[in-house]
Amino acid sequence: MATGNDPDGNRLPVKLDSTSNGEFSPVPLAPYHDLANRLARATSQDGARRLGVSRRKFMLTSCAAATTLLAMNAAYAAVGKTGGYYHLALESALDREAADAALTGNEFVFDVQGHFVNPTGEWLKTVPDGASPLSFTRSDDRCAAAALPGPLDHLQCLGPDAFIRDIFLDSDTSLVVLSFVPSTLAGEPLKIEEAAATAGIVEKLEGTHRLYLHGRVNPNQPGDLERMDWLAENFRIAAWKTYTQWGPDGQPGFYLDDDAGLAMIEKARALGIRNIAIHKGLPFGPRSYEHSTCVDVGRVARRYPDVNFLIYHSGFVTEKPEGPYDENRGDGIDALVSSVRKAGLSGQHNVYAELGSTWRFLMRDPDSAAHALGKLLKYVGEDNILWGTDSIWYGSPQDQIQAFRTFQISPEFRERFGYPEITPAIRAKVFGLNALRIYPVAPDILARHLKSDRVAALRENYRDRPDPHFATFGPKTRRQFLNLQARGG
């Protein structure tokens, strides 16, 4: 068995740490998180001993993931956080069959928010001499490239090769939408040409339609509206990606029904690409905070019923726990719910709540997770929630997938707040079936190609001798976060 990554088995397969996607300041772990990690390591060590295998070999099994999630249950319950839990049998910590029954699945997983950074891109020309951008990827020997002698070799940890491995080999993900971050055109850490090149790499593996592309547009930035024509003409753009809180040169953001927002929507309609992914929540800071909320979502959704509005992060704010729905709260998931309700949207409507970074953060707090998912299911609807992970900032998304497969809202919360039970049918919709209404995939691709292309063959062969790194790549401290914002250190 290959052991190039973490040969001593020190890393847990479910990653509970302070990593951020670079769009919000990392939130340190609480004492009960540290307890969960300690319990998981201790019981993993015991599990390896009882099964007669090395710790690293044990960490590669579903029993180790079950062990970690069970440790999280115990640590959360110790501080009274029981509104949600990971539904696993206690014997799954040592019984591979029981662990597999809970943690493996055959859902179609369509991740609508993936990221990588071009490790040799044009953006590096703007970095000062001697600087080491994204240098936090070096810490903890997170990937083999981080240990190489070159000043920028660590960026390979975030590059296309790592992306393909983390997403398609080390996780159950079948399709991904490659997204972008807010920036000026010159400062983009990933350009559309470079993203398309990665899509080309996947297609050379006969992975047709496995990778979709966003077209980044900031309509309050000169030239971006006009650039939409070029993007649509030259690339297979599946959706537009925008950040309403962002403005060039420190300028304020915009509302979707401001002149800039309406111009973007009209241009999207004219170009026939009527999916608009909008970063809402995970606010960058106090500046233009109001534009990070979802107050404008329902207004434009009702005005443009032929456009799909994909609300990335669902309006979630890390600093404020999610609780029962409060119509007076002006941010968070409540603001999205209020906006949808005021617009009178129901059934299969055109507002979609996306879970990238949101679910990853909610894994730390089962009460907030139960309220967040419960409110989205109850008010936005089980047909209008999209799976996203924001990886590879969080490394492979497999742990997020395993956690979502097992998470359940407690009977108490379901009764008190009217939340539904999370059923296999609901999970299947969230994992990928809902996204197929937005990003149609040809039936022959779904039925035949994804199961037998070279990516599928590579995954099957790789999993005979897996070597996941169980590492994360985003900033873990406020200093690292600020350095990322400055792109200098």
Side-chain angles (χ1 to χ4, degrees), residues 119-269:
T120 58
E122 288 291 317
W123 70 283
L124 291 170
K125 293 181 179 178
T126 66
V127 173
D129 290 342
S132 182
L134 312 186
S135 59
F136 47 78
T137 57
R138 290 187 181 278
S139 62
D140 301 324
D141 295 321
R142 293 183 193 176
C143 86
L148 296 176
L152 300 178
D153 283 336
H154 61 284
L155 294 178
Q156 297 292 339
C157 298
L158 300 169
D161 292 339
F163 177 87
I164 291 170
R165 175 172 173 151
D166 282 355
I167 301 298
F168 292 125
L169 301 188
D170 278 325
S171 92
D172 294 334
T173 305
S174 289
L175 274 70
V176 186
V177 179
L178 195 56
S179 196
F180 294 84
V181 299
S183 69
T184 62
L185 184 60
E188 288 178 313
L190 176 67
K191 292 187 178 297
I192 185 66
E193 297 92 337
E194 297 160 350
T198 295
I201 293 171
V202 176
E203 291 202 3
K204 286 179 182 178
L205 296 173
E206 301 172 10
T208 307
H209 295 288
R210 283 190 180 267
L211 197 59
Y212 289 74
L213 299 179
H214 276 166
R216 194 227 67 208
V217 52
N218 301 315
N220 54 345
Q221 177 171 231
D224 265 30
L225 286 171
E226 295 77 11
R227 189 169 176 261
M228 291 173 71
D229 295 283
W230 175 78
L231 288 170
E233 182 179 349
N234 291 279
F235 303 95
R236 293 188 307 186
I237 301 299
W240 307 102
K241 178 67 179 293
T242 194
Y243 289 74
T244 55
Q245 194 183 2
W246 189 84
D249 302 319
Q251 296 301 305
F254 63 96
Y255 290 117
L256 291 168
D257 49 359
D258 285 348
D259 288 345
L262 294 175
M264 173 186 64
I265 297 169
E266 293 286 2
K267 176 62 73 76
R269 295 176 75 226

Side-chain angles (χ1 to χ4, degrees), residues 107-113 172-178 209-213 238 312 354 385-389 401 428-441 446 450:
E107 306 97 344
F108 171 67
V109 181
F110 191 165
D111 189 336
V112 301
Q113 186 171 190
D172 294 334
T173 305
S174 289
L175 274 70
V176 186
V177 179
L178 195 56
H209 295 288
R210 283 190 180 267
L211 197 59
Y212 289 74
L213 299 179
Y312 273 43
E354 187 268 350
I385 303 174
L386 302 176
W387 179 250
T389 65
I401 293 171
K429 286 183 178 183
V430 174
F431 269 136
L433 299 183
N434 290 340
L436 290 178
R437 302 211 322 271
I438 301 167
Y439 301 106
V441 182
L446 289 174
L450 291 177

